[in-house]
Amino acid sequence: MTVSRTVCLGFLAVITIGTILLMMPFSTSNGTWNDPIVALFTSTSAVCVTGLSVVDPGTYFSFWGQLFMTLLVQIGGLGYMTSTTFLILLIGRKFDLRQKVAIQQALDRPGMSGSAQVIRSIIATTLIFEITGIFLLLPAFVPKFGWNQGLWLSIFHSVNAWNNAGFSLFKDNLIGYQSSLLVVFTITMLIIFGGIGYQVILEMYFWLRARILKKNHNQIFSLDFKVATSTTIILLVIGTIAFFCIEIRNPETFGYLNLRGQILVAWFQSVTPRTAGFNTIDIGKMTTAGLFITIALMFIGASPGGTGGGMKTTTLRVLTSCTKTILQGKEEVLLYDRKIAISLILKAVGVLVGSIATVILATILISLTDPTLDFIKILFEVVSAFATVGLSTGITASISTAAKLILIVTMYIGRVGVLLLMSAVLGDPRPTRIHYPEENLLVG
């Protein structure tokens, strides 16, 4: 079995197990068997770290159901190969060659050496950030809900924020904490660092350690680090300014808040589409322009190697650099004085085309199954599912069963990746030595 099929089938296996667990009577608050569609949708959304939900997790599921959701989110955020590899390390088994190749491809690493150390670093990074998030959220939740419930709320929301899932145990998500600097800062930092990629975090750690210890060596940041951090910062700044300017006159989202509250909400709304489904305003009451900007940010998504989904920031930068190259009349695509390989450019184009095709197809199908819904809301829901975001205008629970099944498939495709899924279906690509003659074609 190929690595791509192993990963795709692994995610399906985890989703199936999660569905069975969430169907059990002890997983629901009323103690009855769960609806299979609700269980399947919730399990898929959790494993794909999306956050879309057809029920209110805080009241519909029992503690055990919420715990299963948290575990599924954790497995989905780490990735199937990372999670299984960590279990192999725990029981003391050694990797064989096939497992090393699988880890290399799953983590997109250049070589197979040091795989075990990389897995340990990823797990350690995850635990450090999630535990830090728990301690930071305790002062916000414990005074109101008590130690037991406050601790569980902190754990649940910290894990969901780091893994860019977006499930919340509050009926209005985080709207009740839209003016809380502590909650907004903690959740947004977990979302940003969770989605920026483990390699970027490790490089940042080594740079900070060298500065603190005052070592006299200049660290050379990788191209991944430069592209991921710069693109993330640019999108966050542009998003915050755009939401502030567009929604400030909307009395149902920003208009009733003071300046401090408006800035916090604009900042949160800029962070959460990248790609976590938390919200501090009613998404369904946003202006059409605000919804469309959110759709664009969701489609771009987070960075490779992180817990978020979407087209990825690096894909965006490669494509924009290609456009810049054409406009300048050059023949080489450059990023930070480094030439981008043709294979990476072709991969970026493939990701873009596959992503657009998936979104268009899912949008058309849901438009046919639920013709009474507004187009912008359908598109928003589909992009949210594909980019594993979890934001919703409020239509998720009311759509038809067929539409829910379409969203389930869309979430799965978005999590495993279009190219990986195609590779699993068609088989791994094989390079060819055949070269055909060139011929010009009118383009544009």
Side-chain angles (χ1 to χ4, degrees):
M1 185 183 294
T2 62
V3 174
S4 55
R5 286 177 184 170
T6 301
V7 174
C8 291
L9 291 176
F11 272 107
L12 284 177
V14 177
I15 290 171
T16 302
I17 294 172
T19 302
I20 295 172
L21 290 174
L22 291 175
M23 282 180 60
M24 296 297 174
F26 53 76
S27 292
T28 59
S29 58
N30 58 11
T32 59
W33 287 89
N34 195 359
D35 182 351
I37 296 297
V38 173
L40 176 60
F41 193 99
T42 306
S43 178
T44 305
S45 185
V47 175
C48 297
V49 289
T50 304
L52 283 175
S53 182
V54 293
V55 295
D56 176 21
T59 56
Y60 188 87
F61 291 103
S62 65
F63 167 78
W64 291 107
Q66 295 168 10
L67 179 61
F68 293 145
M69 288 175 61
T70 306
L71 294 175
L72 292 173
V73 166
Q74 190 72 82
I75 294 171
L78 288 172
Y80 169 73
M81 286 309 304
T82 303
S83 301
T84 53
T85 305
F86 179 61
L87 292 177
I88 291 173
L89 290 173
L90 282 180
I91 62 177
R93 285 181 53 191
K94 293 184 178 180
F95 299 149
D96 56 26
L97 180 61
R98 184 179 184 82
Q99 288 167 335
K100 289 182 178 180
V101 173
I103 296 168
Q104 175 201 359
Q105 294 191 17
L107 300 179
D108 198 17
R109 300 186 69 233
M112 292 184 289
S113 61
S115 297
Q117 186 60 40
V118 171
I119 297 298
R120 291 189 183 97
S121 299
I122 290 174
I123 299 298
T125 302
T126 298
L127 291 177
I128 289 171
F129 273 92
E130 287 181 351
I131 292 172
T132 302
I134 292 169
F135 279 105
L136 289 176
L137 290 174
L138 283 175
F141 297 145
V142 169
K144 183 176 181 180
F145 299 97
W147 267 105
N148 291 337
Q149 183 67 6
L151 177 61
W152 175 238
L153 288 170
S154 300
I155 293 172
F156 188 91
H157 288 87
S158 180
V159 171
N160 273 270
W162 168 258
N163 290 288
N164 279 221
F167 285 111
S168 177
L169 297 181
F170 301 115
K171 198 171 186 65
D172 61 351
N173 208 279
L174 294 179
I175 294 178
Y177 293 90
Q178 62 183 190
S179 298
S180 171
L181 185 61
L182 178 62
V183 173
V184 169
F185 171 80
T186 303
I187 296 296
T188 54
M189 287 302 103
L190 287 171
I191 293 171
I192 292 171
F193 281 104
I196 205 168
Y198 295 104
Q199 179 180 335
V200 173
I201 294 174
L202 290 177
E203 287 191 47
M204 198 177 300
Y205 164 73
F206 289 126
W207 178 79
L208 287 173
R209 188 179 68 172
R211 286 298 183 106
I212 293 172
L213 298 178
K214 297 181 179 179
K215 293 183 178 180
N216 295 322
H217 76 276
N218 293 324
Q219 179 176 341
I220 300 176
F221 291 109
S222 67
L223 186 60
D224 278 320
F225 180 93
K226 295 176 182 177
V227 172
T229 52
S230 61
T231 309
T232 298
I233 292 171
I234 291 170
L235 290 174
L236 289 175
V237 172
I238 293 176
T240 302
I241 295 173
F243 284 120
F244 183 83
C245 295
I246 290 173
E247 295 291 331
I248 193 171
R249 295 183 180 178
N250 186 346
E252 296 183 296
T253 55
F254 283 41
Y256 65 93
L257 298 168
N258 56 28
L259 181 60
R260 176 180 177 275
Q262 290 171 343
I263 293 174
L264 283 177
V265 169
W267 162 253
F268 195 95
Q269 189 57 33
S270 178
V271 173
T272 194
R274 320 267 325 290
T275 56
F278 291 112
N279 58 281
T280 55
I281 58 173
D282 188 343
I283 302 297
K285 295 179 180 178
M286 292 180 68
T287 62
T288 303
L291 289 175
F292 199 78
I293 291 174
T294 306
I295 290 173
L297 290 175
M298 290 193 299
F299 188 76
I300 295 169
S303 301
T307 58
M311 185 180 67
K312 306 297 186 184
T313 54
T314 49
T315 304
L316 174 67
R317 286 296 295 273
V318 169
L319 294 173
T320 53
S321 296
C322 288
T323 305
K324 180 181 177 182
T325 299
I326 293 297
L327 294 176
Q328 292 178 338
K330 297 179 180 179
E331 296 183 353
E332 292 184 345
V333 179
L334 301 178
L335 265 174
Y336 294 99
D337 298 326
R338 293 292 186 272
K339 180 182 176 181
I340 304 300
I342 294 296
S343 59
L344 289 180
I345 296 173
L346 294 176
K347 185 177 180 180
V349 173
V351 169
L352 176 65
V353 173
S355 301
I356 292 175
T358 303
V359 169
I360 290 176
L361 180 60
T363 304
I364 291 174
L365 291 176
I366 294 180
S367 297
L368 292 174
T369 60
D370 296 61
T372 58
L373 294 176
D374 293 338
F375 170 76
I376 189 69
K377 291 186 176 180
I378 296 176
L379 179 62
F380 190 99
E381 206 80 7
V382 168
V383 174
S384 180
F386 174 76
T388 69
V389 180
L391 290 174
S392 175
T393 55
I395 66 172
T396 315
S398 60
I399 59 177
S400 64
T401 301
K404 291 173 184 174
L405 292 174
I406 294 169
L407 286 182
I408 288 171
V409 175
T410 305
M411 287 189 286
Y412 176 74
I413 295 174
R415 183 64 185 96
V416 300
V418 176
L419 298 185
L420 185 69
L421 184 62
M422 292 299 295
S423 178
V425 175
L426 302 177
D428 290 334
R430 298 179 180 179
T432 178
R433 295 178 179 273
I434 302 174
H435 298 280
Y436 295 92
E438 288 186 4
E439 186 170 344
N440 287 330
L441 178 69
L442 296 177
V443 177

